[in-house]
């Protein structure tokens, strides 16, 4: 050590300090993330500049960088809400969302890194209670789930849009009713289905009966018209035509013209 130049120790010390400063100043932001810069000695959170993007960054060691995920995320929420008639309903919903990238500085300054718990989840719960309270358990169980899902989305979106959060979708994944209510609704739906099936069979039978009546009436009208149009002269003419055709048949043996009642031919000796 005595043989080292006097300048060596300061240089080594400076190198060590430089390495420490670089390690403290180097920030790597991953894929789908953005960084909010906090300047300790010059204004705090930076809100008037774009957030730090993906990749490697060097910042002053006395400053800080808060990293936010800016990809679409999902949060699940299970809650108990009341229907329009006061029955307790268990609702499970999820939200697809992402922070608005250009406003991450504002989001960090006003809401902080726990913005999901502070803003998003309470808003979803409030919207769900408000929407579900408009419907009966039967509507929740059967026909109105899509409408409920859309209304919860719209009410939640109105609030979080001004909180620097972009809401992409609300999904109602499960609606659980009290067991007795669920069984009563299922029985009622089954009875309605059977009633609709009976009405369908009844209407079908009535249509078939009408069809038979129309066909019979058509045949009766046709016979009436035919009977009215057949005179004795027409019948004799048709008999003569038939006799001529029969006489041309190789099976005809004896034909007596004018010997039958009303002057019609008599056919004898067929083989």
């Amino acid at each position: 050590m005595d043989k080292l130049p006097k300048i060596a120790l300061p240089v080594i010390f400076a190198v060590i300090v430089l390495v420490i400063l670089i390690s403290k100043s180097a920030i790597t932001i991953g894929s789908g993330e953005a960084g909010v810069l906090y300047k300790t000695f010059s204004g705090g959170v930076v809100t008037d500049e774009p957030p730090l993007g993906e990749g490697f960054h060097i910042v002053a060691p006395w400053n800080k960088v808060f990293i936010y995920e800016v990809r679409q995320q999902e949060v699940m929420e299970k809650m108990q809400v009341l229907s329009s008639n006061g029955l307790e309903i268990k609702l499970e919903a999820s939200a697809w969302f992402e922070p608005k990238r250009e406003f991450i500085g504002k989001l960090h300054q006003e809401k902080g890194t726990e913005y999901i718990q502070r803003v998003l989840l309470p808003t979803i719960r409030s919207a769900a209670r408000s929407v579900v309270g408009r419907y009966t358990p039967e509507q929740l169980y059967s026909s109105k789930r899509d409408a409920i899902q859309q209304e919860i989305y719209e009410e939640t979106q109105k609030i979080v849009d001004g909180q620097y959060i972009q809401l992409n979708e609300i999904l109602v994944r499960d609606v659980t009713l009290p067991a007795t209510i669920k069984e009563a609704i299922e029985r009622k739906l089954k009875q309605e289905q059977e009633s609709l099936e009976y009405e369908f069979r009844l209407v079908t039978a009535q249509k078939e009966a009408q069809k038979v009546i129309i066909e019979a009436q058509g045949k009766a009208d046709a016979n009436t018209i035919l009977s009215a149009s057949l005179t004795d002269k027409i019948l004799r003419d048709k008999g003569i035509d038939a006799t001529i055709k029969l006489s041309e048949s190789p099976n005809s043996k004896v034909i007596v013209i004018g010997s039958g009642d009303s002057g019609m031919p008599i056919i004898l000796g067929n083989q």
Side-chain angles (χ1 to χ4, degrees):
M1 293 291 295
D2 295 338
K3 295 181 179 180
L4 290 175
K6 292 182 178 181
I7 192 69
L9 290 177
V11 169
I12 294 172
F13 179 77
V15 170
I16 293 174
V17 171
L18 182 61
V19 170
I20 294 173
L21 288 175
I22 292 175
S23 65
K24 293 290 186 180
S25 303
I27 298 294
T28 301
I29 296 177
S31 177
E33 296 177 337
V36 176
L37 181 61
Y38 178 85
K39 295 182 177 180
T40 304
F41 301 111
S42 55
V45 177
V46 176
T47 60
D48 56 354
E49 296 178 9
L52 301 178
E54 300 172 3
F56 183 79
H57 300 271
I58 296 292
V59 299
W62 50 84
N63 293 336
K64 296 179 182 179
V65 175
F66 296 89
I67 296 178
Y68 281 77
E69 185 174 0
V70 292
R71 289 176 291 203
Q72 178 172 281
Q73 304 164 61
E74 182 180 28
V75 62
M76 301 282 294
E77 182 69 358
K78 295 181 179 180
M79 64 201 91
Q80 293 183 337
V81 294
L82 298 179
S83 64
S84 60
N85 54 2
L87 288 174
E88 190 174 84
I89 309 296
K90 293 181 180 179
L91 186 71
E92 181 177 343
S94 65
W96 293 351
F97 71 97
E98 57 193 86
K100 293 183 177 180
R101 187 186 185 94
E102 64 274 23
F103 297 113
I104 287 181
K106 286 284 189 181
L107 178 65
H108 180 73
Q109 187 178 55
E110 297 180 17
K111 315 301 175 186
T113 55
E114 297 181 353
Y115 68 94
I116 297 174
Q117 290 73 26
R118 292 176 177 174
V119 177
L120 186 58
L121 291 179
T123 303
I124 294 173
R125 288 193 289 265
S126 175
R129 291 189 178 99
S130 174
V131 171
V132 172
R134 304 170 192 162
Y135 295 95
T136 65
E138 184 175 350
Q139 291 173 321
L140 295 171
Y141 183 75
S142 56
S143 61
K144 294 296 184 180
R145 181 172 297 195
D146 290 341
I148 292 165
Q149 181 172 285
Q150 181 63 26
E151 289 179 27
I152 293 175
Y153 167 79
E154 291 173 355
E155 291 204 13
T156 306
Q157 196 268 342
K158 290 177 184 177
I159 298 174
V160 302
D161 187 56
Q163 305 295 322
Y164 319 114
I165 302 171
Q166 177 180 315
L167 184 66
N168 297 332
E169 192 67 75
I170 290 286
L171 303 175
V172 175
R173 298 190 177 275
D174 187 41
V175 176
T176 304
L177 304 178
T180 54
I181 301 299
K182 181 180 178 181
E183 291 172 1
I185 291 173
E186 288 177 347
R187 285 197 300 270
K188 181 180 178 181
L189 292 176
K190 183 179 180 181
Q191 291 171 356
E192 290 177 351
Q193 185 64 35
E194 291 174 350
S195 176
L196 290 173
E197 184 178 353
Y198 175 76
E199 289 179 4
F200 174 77
R201 291 201 302 266
L202 185 62
V203 170
T204 302
Q206 290 175 344
K207 289 182 178 179
E208 288 294 331
Q210 290 176 354
K211 179 181 177 182
V212 172
I213 293 172
I214 291 171
E215 290 178 351
Q217 185 64 46
K219 290 180 181 179
D221 292 344
N223 290 333
T224 301
I225 294 171
L226 182 61
S227 298
S229 64
L230 290 177
T231 64
D232 292 342
K233 183 176 183 305
I234 291 174
L235 291 173
R236 284 195 297 271
D237 289 342
K238 289 187 177 292
I240 293 170
D241 292 338
T243 302
I244 293 172
K245 291 181 179 179
L246 190 59
S247 66
E248 296 173 351
S249 171
N251 295 325
S252 300
K253 295 302 183 180
V254 179
I255 301 175
V256 180
I257 305 298
S259 297
D261 293 340
S262 303
M264 294 301 294
I266 296 176
I267 303 171
L268 303 173
N270 291 333
Q271 291 182 353

